[in-house]
Amino acid sequence: MNIAVLVKASLDTNMLRVDSSGRLLIEDTPLAISEYDRNAVEEAVKIKEAHGGKVVAFSLLTWGPIARKEKDAENVLREALAMGADEAHLVSDESLLPGEVGITAQVLAKLLDEHGPFDIVLTGEASMDMLSSQLPARIAEKIGASVITYVRKIEVADGVVRATRDLEDSLETIESKTPVVISVTGEINQPRLPTLLQIRRSFAKPLNKYKLSDLGIPSIVRKLDMAEVKLVTVSRKNIVLEGDKLEDIAEKLIEKLMEEGVVKG
Amino acid sequence: MKALIYSEKASEITDAIGFLHVLSEELNQDFDVYALSLSSEEEVSKEGVKGLEKIYIVDKGTTKAISDVLSNLYSEHKPDIVLGPTTKNSTEILARLAAKNELPMITEVAGVIGLDGDVHLEKPIMGGRALAVYRFTTPILATVPAKKFKPKAVDTTPSIEKLSLPEEDGYKLIDVKPKEKGAVDIEAAEIVVGVGRGFKNKDDLDLAFNIAEIMGGEVGCTRPIAADYNWLGEDRWIGISGKKIRGKLYFAIGISGAPQHIMAAMDSKVIVVVNKDKNAPIFQYSDYGIIADLYQFLPVFIEKLREKLGK
Ligand SMILES: Cc1cc2nc3c(=O)[nH]c(=O)nc-3n(C[C@H](O)[C@H](O)[C@H](O)COP(=O)(O)OP(=O)(O)OC[C@H]3O[C@@H](n4cnc5c(N)ncnc54)[C@H](O)[C@@H]3O)c2cc1C
Ligand SMILES: Nc1ncnc2c1ncn2[C@@H]1O[C@H](COP(=O)(O)O)[C@@H](O)[C@H]1O
């Protein structure tokens, strides 16, 4: 069973850097593994443990500057390797910044074809930064696989995959032939925390880097023009209630809640 | 210009037409609108959808089968814009169509802005903490949130045509289990006490239920509490993939403050936070913050609250 897992180095939504005028500083915001891509890696490793084969992790850098962000993307792939992936491949190219999901699919599909064929391609349900949920269907189309999205349970038997989709009002089980692209929810499993030894060993595993020209893709055609990224303004009082005793703090809070008209004494 | 709408419920056609009306005003162009709907003819006529030429009706099926039907309609009509609701199935179905035809797509358009002749579309990113602004272009696909854009009064009544689903090969629906519907409507609650992974056991949630009871509110939660642990029903799940709240008070306890959660509570008038980690991001989103262990603070607070409110 050959399994590919796609992991994105997403802008870390808990570490957004903002300047004094409230502008988002994308260049200074660190990248981290997209929350649910960790679940995708865990599921890939689990399937490998049960059925044999290998797990190959792929990532494409979507935020610059490359000089600062490429390291973050490498760390994301190292994390996948430490969790049990066998090899990793990273595309980083100036012309791909900022990322556009259709192009990401086109470029990653090329790499998947080169390193495949894969029976199963796992992704997260949505990337933490862009929340597009388009990549699974787009990559499936490119590599000629079927696609099952928002999956919280996977069963694999020869040549067939059964997956339970977690929808708004129902749980839906789909059976599909392989090759299949599956996007997983955060609830599918509990991602393992790699041990120190596993982290150290991950540095001995292959992590290859590519430019577009290495993939024989001469140029790309953008379909969408992202004019701007605007921070949503959040203005709150940010008052920390302090006191020597918890009783005092509790009283202060109740006082404030009464002042605000939220509770009535 | 021409538009094609995909919808599951008839009301989603209205949502998409609302979006088209806003867009049409900015573009100074009218749309001929066609829709594909999974709802029955009765539901469609009950909704009284107007402002489009024709509604195609098809039975429910797999996303694959439905996207094939939509794809045929796309080839037939060659629309400039294809819209659907922001549901999971719709997102997948539109993404399949976008992939097949190499089209750009915006998942969840939250706004249309006209800027000296240029039209821009906004989309929430980073858990709702930011908006990506895209230049409008055609052809394009987008998913439209419920009740965000209101249609103008129009009177074209659509004709209706029934289509059938294609045969499927190597991809089939095995089972559908409806989810139990919870009875709590936290979107309508004035006071919501939110619980997160700072709670170590399900039984400890009683602390939050006590506060909610004394103050006359409901208990809400983060995604892991509902979806990972199943401690509470999905009707209490707050966030970009759950419910939005907009009451007088959000009292967030043991919650780290990921934007994917807290941005869905930002319309609350007052936000109170209890977290033992003074660096937790949630303090940025708070009016009143308490840096304390919830297991120590809440019992004291509950006692005082009972005292002061005479309950
Ligand atoms: C595409 C996508 C969609 C998502 N949708 C949603 C969504 O709709 N809703 C949602 O909630 N999340 C959503 N998430 C997940 C989100 O990013 C966070 O992982 C989640 O909200 C974290 O939940 P939490 O705050 O309960 O847990 P944690 O992040 O683990 O935080 C627990 C907090 O409790 C504090 N704590 C621990 N012990 C104590 C104690 N004894 N006393 C006081 N404080 C304590 C800790 O300091 C910590 O800050 C989504 C993520 C993605 C990528
Ligand atoms: N640039 C990328 N590199 C690797 N994987 C990606 C990338 N973008 C998206 N993905 C994968 O596709 C999933 C959905 O992403 P999105 O369509 O951006 O919401 C993510 O959870 C990842 O698994």
Side-chain angles (χ1 to χ4, degrees), chain B residues 167-183:
Chain B
E167 290 290 317
E168 306 201 40
D169 176 32
Y171 192 90
K172 51 179 192 275
L173 183 62
I174 303 288
D175 183 43
V176 184
K177 275 198 195 71
K179 284 187 182 172
E180 270 177 49
K181 277 222 168 56

Side-chain angles (χ1 to χ4, degrees), chain A residues 5 15 58-59 78 91 102 108 117 127 131 152 157 171 202 213 218 224:
Chain A
V5 59
M15 304 273 277
F58 296 88
S59 193
R78 285 280 168 226
V91 186
L108 286 179
S127 59
L131 304 166
R152 69 173 298 161
L171 295 171
S202 74
S213 53
L224 262 188

